[in-house]
Amino acid sequence: MKIRKRAGITFILCFCLIFSMILSGCDAQTVTQVEDALAAAEEATENAGAIADGTEQLAEEIKQAAAEAEKRASDAKAAERIAAEAQKALEAAEEAALAAEAEVAQLEKAAEATMSETSQGDKTAAYESAKIETGKTETSKTETGKTETGNTEPDKTEAGKADTSKKNDSTYRFVDSHLHYLDFTQKTDGFEKLVEKMDEANVDSAVIFGMGMSKKWDASAPEAPKYYLSNDSAAYYFTGTDYIMLEQLSQASEEIQDRFYPFICGVNPTDLYAADYLEQLLELYPNQIKGIGEVMSHHDDLTALTGGETPRADHPAMLKIYDLAAEYDLPVLIHHNIAGSYMDEPIYLEEMKNALKYNRDVNIIWAHAGISRRVELSNLTEITDQMLKDNPNLYYDISWVVYDDYIAKDDASLDEWAALIEKYPDRFMIGSDKVGHWDTYPEEITKYYPLLERLSTETATKLCSDNILVLIHEKEAETEEIT
């Protein structure tokens, strides 16, 4: 506005000057020059006015921006204050969690003290008494056999559930005969955590191996798979699993190394080079490897997801592996479904018979007694009995679903299998079949208590530990089998 006012005054003065020049008799040319100057001054005045308007608008916008910035600064301070309050709340929650953990530890300690003075039959009441004494309550734990990533499914009946009051009972000492250090994506919770869980379950040592199959993570998958059944993506044979397991074991403390008996398993059982690869590992890790397996033969969904040539126990590539195992005096652990899904007919039994007869100098451990998901046979005990009678180089691992769905199905089934194990006391072994992750490891061991209680002390000891130790030459056989 000041620019416009000053320009107006200048214009008036110029007009007066022209008028006075005319009156004083100035020539026409001079007057014209002054008029041109006046016109230029007027145009400059208009331009200056426009600039002034723009400057005023810019000043207003700067003022508004300053106000907005001030508001945002205020909001930032408020957010910072809220974040500080949230951090304080989080710290308070962590303190409360630590206090709760301490209270639970106090409860368990009180329960153990009470239970040690109470008879076996009153252990549950003693634990409740300890809860009353401490004035605390504890969230009930899930039942044995809860589902977790890996070869674990929930129990279907009450009969086979382990008495959790025996969780720390030292009556039974175990050697886990079937344990995968890595899962289907080659991940693991590690040896240190595993040893902690083994101690909880009274497991002194374990046969350990990787996972010979790996799950592919397709670009089209909505999320990364964690198990071979997570989605429809393919699976494939993975040879690197042995190296990962053996190297991580070699880096563990000597105390941890002494508790594990490594097997090697990372082969394609339809590849005629498979035995050559295994022999290279035996040479690279002399006197360390105690067996071969778990080699994957027929395995329902896993076989379908893998594609390619269908594996079988008597495949020429497997026959070469049996010869290698016999040469090095190593047992072979094989997963070989005895039947197809929902077929009450053992259509793959002959393949296993052929494998056993091919080389009697190799001992074969039949994982899960040939049972997998949806494999339903009405005469499994009769087949098992006849196979053991006909094949002195056959042994049975009763881990995973064969225990949950067959052996511990009900009391009658437990009694039937206990009688069969007593008939062949040197030919059965138990395992957790955990796959890389150990949170529910103890439950996969304590679930065997109902079966062990039906066996003689000598047979129970063989099932828990001695049979697998004899098979891997960590213990001498004490007596000949009586059939």
Side-chain angles (χ1 to χ4, degrees):
M1 291 298 294
K2 290 180 180 180
I3 293 174
R4 287 181 178 273
K5 185 176 181 181
R6 290 175 181 174
I9 294 171
T10 302
F11 178 78
I12 292 171
L13 291 173
C14 289
F15 181 80
C16 292
L17 176 62
I18 294 170
F19 183 73
S20 63
M21 289 174 67
I22 294 172
L23 291 177
S24 61
C26 290
D27 59 28
Q29 183 178 1
T30 302
V31 172
T32 299
Q33 291 176 349
V34 172
E35 287 176 348
D36 291 342
L38 178 59
E42 184 178 2
E43 184 180 356
T45 299
E46 291 299 323
N47 291 338
I51 293 172
D53 291 341
T55 303
E56 289 177 0
Q57 183 179 355
L58 179 60
E60 183 64 26
E61 291 176 355
I62 292 173
K63 183 178 179 181
Q64 291 177 359
E68 180 67 21
E70 183 177 358
K71 181 180 178 182
R72 291 183 179 179
S74 177
D75 292 343
K77 289 181 179 179
E80 183 177 356
R81 184 170 58 256
I82 292 171
E85 292 174 355
Q87 180 63 29
K88 290 181 180 179
L90 177 60
E91 292 174 355
E94 290 176 348
E95 291 178 0
L98 290 174
E101 185 178 351
E103 290 174 355
V104 171
Q106 181 183 4
L107 168 63
E108 293 178 344
K109 184 176 181 180
E112 291 176 2
T114 305
M115 291 171 68
S116 65
E117 300 173 359
T118 309
S119 63
Q120 179 71 22
D122 294 331
K123 284 184 177 179
T124 302
Y127 191 79
E128 294 300 323
S129 174
K131 290 166 70 175
I132 294 172
E133 290 175 10
T134 58
K136 310 295 178 184
T137 59
E138 183 180 18
T139 303
S140 61
K141 297 180 179 178
T142 56
E143 295 293 342
T144 301
K146 70 179 182 180
T147 302
E148 182 198 4
T149 300
N151 290 343
T152 310
E153 293 185 338
D155 291 338
K156 295 184 178 179
T157 67
E158 297 293 325
K161 291 183 179 179
D163 181 359
T164 55
S165 68
K166 290 185 176 182
K167 184 175 179 180
N168 294 316
D169 186 352
S170 60
T171 301
Y172 305 115
R173 306 299 305 182
F174 298 91
V175 174
D176 188 343
S177 71
H178 192 130
L179 179 58
H180 294 271
Y181 180 65
L182 300 160
D183 65 16
F184 284 92
T185 63
Q186 307 304 315
K187 294 181 175 59
T188 179
D189 289 342
F191 279 108
E192 290 189 3
K193 185 174 180 180
L194 174 55
V195 167
E196 291 177 4
K197 292 298 182 179
M198 289 168 61
D199 289 341
E200 289 182 24
N202 299 325
V203 177
D204 296 324
S205 55
V207 167
I208 191 86
F209 35 88
M211 174 55 71
M213 310 293 297
S214 199
K215 180 71 171 180
K216 182 184 177 185
W217 183 5
D218 286 338
S220 61
E223 59 182 33
K226 297 180 180 179
Y227 189 45
Y228 75 88
L229 292 176
S230 293
N231 58 34
D232 294 331
S233 298
Y236 57 94
Y237 300 106
F238 185 71
T239 57
T241 194
D242 298 316
Y243 180 79
I244 295 172
M245 183 273 294
L246 289 167
E247 285 302 299
Q248 291 195 20
L249 180 59
S250 70
Q251 294 168 18
S253 68
E254 186 174 347
E255 181 181 0
I256 289 179
Q257 292 183 43
D258 289 343
R259 297 183 66 172
F260 293 98
Y261 306 111
F263 278 31
I264 50 178
C265 64
V267 293
N268 180 338
T270 67
D271 182 1
L272 293 175
Y273 278 123
D276 295 339
Y277 163 75
L278 294 173
E279 187 165 22
Q280 288 182 53
L281 283 175
L282 292 171
E283 294 172 353
L284 287 170
Y285 297 90
N287 304 317
Q288 296 183 48
I289 296 168
K290 298 295 183 178
I292 297 172
E294 181 186 18
V295 178
M296 299 297 185
S297 179
H298 292 292
H299 197 315
D300 46 271
D301 303 278
L302 188 56
T303 301
L305 289 170
T306 304
E309 186 178 359
T310 301
R312 64 182 195 272
D314 60 350
H315 189 282
M318 287 300 302
L319 301 184
K320 295 181 69 174
I321 291 175
Y322 301 143
D323 287 339
L324 176 69
E327 179 183 349
Y328 283 83
D329 200 9
L330 302 174
V332 175
L333 171 64
I334 182 172
H335 183 121
H336 177 86
N337 288 5
I338 192 172
S341 297
Y342 306 119
M343 297 178 62
D344 194 8
E345 180 181 358
I347 60 174
Y348 301 131
L349 181 60
E350 287 303 315
E351 295 174 359
M352 179 58 79
K353 289 181 179 179
N354 293 337
L356 290 161
K357 288 186 291 186
Y358 169 74
N359 191 333
R360 291 296 188 186
D361 291 332
V362 61
N363 292 315
I364 296 178
I365 306 170
W366 199 349
H368 325 305
I371 299 301
S372 190
R373 292 185 178 92
R374 301 184 300 280
V375 176
E376 301 175 356
L377 283 180
S378 58
N379 61 337
L380 182 62
T381 51
E382 290 86 346
I383 293 174
T384 302
D385 189 349
Q386 190 63 47
M387 287 292 288
L388 289 169
K389 180 180 180 181
D390 295 342
N391 300 281
N393 57 330
L394 173 62
Y395 296 80
Y396 276 85
D397 152 22
I398 58 172
S399 65
W400 196 33
V401 293
V402 68
Y403 185 84
D404 302 328
D405 296 347
Y406 283 79
I407 299 173
K409 180 174 61 176
D410 52 40
D411 287 329
S413 182
L414 280 164
D415 291 339
E416 181 181 18
W417 279 89
L420 182 62
I421 293 171
E422 288 286 5
K423 184 176 181 180
Y424 301 96
D426 302 315
R427 311 280 288 280
F428 290 89
M429 55 204 69
I430 60 177
S432 66
D433 198 16
K434 297 306 294 177
V435 181
H437 306 286
W438 324 127
D439 286 344
T440 61
Y441 181 90
E443 290 87 341
E444 290 304 310
I445 298 298
T446 58
K447 73 178 185 181
Y448 291 107
Y449 281 137
L451 174 63
L452 296 172
E453 291 167 352
R454 287 168 163 80
L455 302 174
S456 67
T457 301
E458 181 180 1
T459 300
T461 300
K462 289 183 176 182
L463 179 64
C464 287
S465 59
D466 288 0
N467 288 346
I468 183 62
L469 290 177
V470 169
L471 208 55
I472 61 175
H473 309 295
E474 292 294 323
K475 183 180 177 64
E476 293 292 331
E478 295 180 357
T479 59
E480 293 293 330
E481 179 185 347
I482 300 176
T483 59

